[in-house]
């Protein structure tokens, strides 16, 4: 596999300067939005074939979010792209200072399988908005969605502007051997390290959207019914295959039994008594991940669910109690419909347990106590999260989304997507009418004068 020609063609097109015109960018974003409007059923059908997503969930978590991002970018990108004048210190008088936004060039976007449409197209919106050319590499696991994305890109963009490469690890490795101007990767920390290592050979900047075990804290002041509803929704959305899903619950001991009661009731309400037969309940992506998640279920600690169906690749929403940090389910990101529950007595105890782990991509806190809210916000490091809800912080273009430490680097969504794929070029324009002499040698007694300005 040789992709030098592909990258070269895109770099040649980028050098024409066409992508630097905001009207050009808006035109192609409009074409993308129009294609989505006209082919919504094709997108939903592919998502259903890959992950068993219902039409409602597919639209809500994939199509709707992408459309909102496109509209937001089209509305604002002309303003974002304008040079911005900033203040100049008196020591540089007389002059003016500006920040010019320019695209990096040709970018590589490597997407995962769990939200295969959204997590491919959302970064693309940022790349196109900023004026870049792009090579997309969707996951080989979500085969139907990847094929549909390839058709979409072929119908919307010329290949020398945006193109798609399909395939598996060999294609990934071959692409990473090429010199891109920016790499945007979404996936596991293990693969993220490999991407960063390959990028370092060319000194290529990267964004890494990774994951981790995102905790959900519930204290004694929380509205337990609402907490249970929102935890169940966020955890079992896409059958738990969500990078920001609540990985585990840390609940204050005094309200643990009541919370578990409400969680079980909400599972039954949302997915019925036989979730494995519920057509709206998604499937696990493949046999490999089905076996991995099934292996994390300890039957002796299951208090609800636990059943599996290897023919449909479905795993019941499963709740486990009596969990410790030594259990297999606490040794890795679950990325499936298994919810371990642990308890704490004092919030400082819960915070210390979380702080002892790698910084998570998300954290959720259910409380009515503002002091406890402030304590968690100030004490713990994590990518982002919610107070009294789960997952929805990534569904707004006004909040940048990304990780910290082991959960990733860089951010996107809304203007943050534009900023990620943009180099800010700093320019100071000096007047030639006046030239203050004391900066030039010989300095003689200039130091005292310089100290007055600096």
């Amino acid at each position: 596999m040789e992709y030098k020609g592909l990258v070269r063609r895109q770099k040649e097109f980028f050098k024409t300067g066409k992508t630097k015109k905001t009207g050009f960018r808006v035109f192609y974003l409009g074409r993308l939005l129009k294609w989505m409007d006209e082919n919504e059923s094709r997108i939903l059908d592919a998502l259903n074939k890959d992950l068993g997503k219902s039409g409602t969930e597919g639209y809500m978590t994939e199509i709707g979010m992408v459309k909102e991002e496109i509209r937001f970018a089209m509305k604002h990108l002309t303003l974002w792209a304008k040079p911005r004048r900033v203040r100049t210190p008196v020591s540089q008088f007389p002059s003016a200072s500006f920040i010019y936004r320019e695209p990096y060039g040709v970018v590589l976007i490597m997407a995962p399988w769990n939200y295969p449409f959204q997590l491919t197209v959302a970064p693309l919106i940022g790349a196109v908005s900023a004026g870049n050319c792009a090579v997309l590499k969707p996951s080989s696991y979500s085969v139907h969605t990847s094929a549909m994305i390839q058709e979409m890109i072929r119908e919307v963009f010329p290949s020398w502007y945006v193109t798609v490469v399909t395939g598996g690890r060999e294609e990934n490795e071959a692409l990473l051997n090429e010199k891109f101007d920016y790499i945007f990767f979404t996936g596991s920390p293990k693969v993220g390290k490999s991407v960063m290592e390959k990028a370092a050979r060319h000194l290529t900047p990267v964004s890494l959207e990774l994951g981790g075990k995102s905790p959900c804290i519930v204290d004694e002041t929380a509205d337990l019914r609402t907490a249970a509803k929102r935890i169940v929704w966020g955890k079992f959305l896409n059958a738990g295959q969500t990078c920001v899903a609540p990985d585990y619950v840390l609940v204050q001991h005094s309200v643990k039994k009541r919370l578990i009661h409400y969680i079980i009731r909400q599972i039954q309400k949302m997915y019925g008594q036989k979730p494995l037969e519920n057509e709206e309940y998604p499937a696990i992506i493949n046999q490999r991940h089905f076996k991995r998640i099934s292996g994390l279920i300890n039957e002796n600690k299951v208090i609800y669910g636990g059943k599996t169906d290897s023919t449909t690749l479905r795993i019941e929403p499963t709740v486990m109690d009596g969990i410790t940090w030594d259990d297999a389910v606490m040794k890795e990101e679950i990325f499936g419909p298994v919810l371990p529950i642990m308890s704490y007595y004092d919030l400082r105890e819960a915070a210390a347990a979380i702080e002892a782990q790698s910084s998570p991509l998300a954290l959720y806190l259910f409380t009515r106590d503002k002091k406890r809210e402030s304590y968690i916000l100030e004490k713990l490091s994590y990518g982002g999260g919610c107070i009294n809800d789960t997952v929805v912080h990534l569904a707004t273009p006004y909040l940048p989304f990304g990780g910290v430490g082991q959960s990733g680097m860089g951010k996107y969504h809304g203007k943050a997507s534009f900023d990620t794929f943009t180099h800010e070029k700093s320019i100071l324009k000096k007047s030639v009418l006046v030239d203050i002499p004391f900066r030039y040698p010989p300095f003689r007694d200039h130091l005292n004068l310089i100290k007055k300005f600096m």
Side-chain angles (χ1 to χ4, degrees), residues 45 103 115 119 123 171 176 261 268 287 315 330 360 383 439-440:
D45 181 61
Y115 289 87
L119 295 179
E171 287 77 10
L176 288 169
H261 170 73
Q268 293 170 342
Q287 280 286 350
I315 298 173
M330 297 306 295
R439 76 173 184 177
Y440 301 108

Side-chain angles (χ1 to χ4, degrees), residues 14-25:
F14 178 75
K15 287 178 181 178
T16 67
K18 290 184 178 180
T19 67
K20 293 186 177 181
K21 298 176 181 177
T22 55
F24 183 86
R25 308 176 201 178

